[in-house]
Amino acid sequence: MTDWFSSTRRSTIDFADRLANSEMFSALFRDGMALVEETAAYLDGEGRVQSKSLPRAGSLAYATESMRLTTRLMQMASWLLLQRAVNEGEMSAEQAGSEKNKVRLDTLSSTRGGPGWQELPEELRDLIERSVRLQERIQHLDRMIYESRHAEPVPVDNPVAIQLDVLSAAFGGRGSSLG
């Protein structure tokens, strides 16, 4: 009984893991994969047609930004798939952490406002803006998950053990002989 109390007296709550397995992650996953599909459909369809009518600066910006957009989305999709594999027990957190090092969430930002930006089709600019916001959400969750796994756990006092200590002290004990 002493081992149980000492092991449960101070435990930790891993909010990052709870968050990663939450409905918030599920919504993020759905949003990310939907944006990948929407972008692919646009670039293969209407975007291809629109790009042919752009002036030189706009055409160059289109080629650059569409490449950055697809690369950004593929990196985010890779991260989302890794995290989902952990959530579903297909991969350990350690394995995902190792694989995650191959995923670049901090690169290929857009040159919004640069030469040719205003000439880009509105649909492409919208997809870029949405992908950047999604990237920021994923980066935030990534920091919460992976930095918390390397941080020292913050102990949380077990309220039952605290009450047992109070009772033991009140009835003449020397403090908790249970912990």
Side-chain angles (χ1 to χ4, degrees), residues 42-175:
Y42 170 77
L43 292 175
D44 286 341
E46 188 178 344
R48 183 171 289 164
V49 172
Q50 291 173 340
S51 71
K52 293 179 193 275
S53 63
L54 293 173
R56 180 166 167 66
S59 182
L60 182 58
Y62 185 95
T64 302
E65 291 301 327
S66 62
M67 179 201 64
R68 288 179 176 163
L69 173 61
T70 55
T71 302
R72 182 182 314 109
L73 287 172
M74 289 303 107
Q75 293 296 310
M76 291 187 293
S78 296
W79 186 92
L80 289 166
L81 289 167
L82 277 172
Q83 188 58 49
R84 186 179 73 171
V86 172
N87 294 350
E88 294 179 357
E90 298 170 2
M91 177 181 275
S92 73
E94 292 75 27
Q95 289 171 315
S98 176
E99 290 297 315
K100 184 190 93 64
N101 291 330
K102 300 173 187 172
V103 176
R104 303 297 308 171
L105 294 174
D106 58 350
T107 59
L108 295 172
S109 62
S110 178
T111 56
R112 297 171 291 191
W117 176 259
Q118 291 303 319
E119 297 171 10
L120 293 175
E122 182 62 34
E123 295 91 339
L124 179 62
R125 287 185 292 174
D126 178 61
L127 289 168
I128 291 167
E129 293 294 334
R130 289 169 46 207
S131 74
V132 169
R133 285 192 307 269
L134 180 67
Q135 180 182 23
E136 290 166 355
R137 289 169 57 198
I138 289 174
Q139 287 171 326
H140 179 72
L141 185 56
D142 180 73
R143 282 189 300 274
M144 290 178 67
I145 293 170
Y146 291 97
E147 288 177 9
S148 73
R149 286 188 178 143
H150 299 302
E152 284 294 316
V154 177
V156 178
D157 288 331
N158 181 328
V160 174
I162 293 170
Q163 291 302 313
L164 288 172
D165 284 344
V166 170
L167 287 171
S168 177
F171 290 105
R174 303 169 288 158

Side-chain angles (χ1 to χ4, degrees), residues 12-30:
T12 60
I13 299 172
D14 192 341
F15 290 108
D17 279 341
R18 288 182 186 258
L19 184 62
N21 289 298
S22 70
E23 180 56 36
M24 182 186 139
F25 174 77
S26 297
L28 183 65
F29 185 87
R30 285 189 305 271

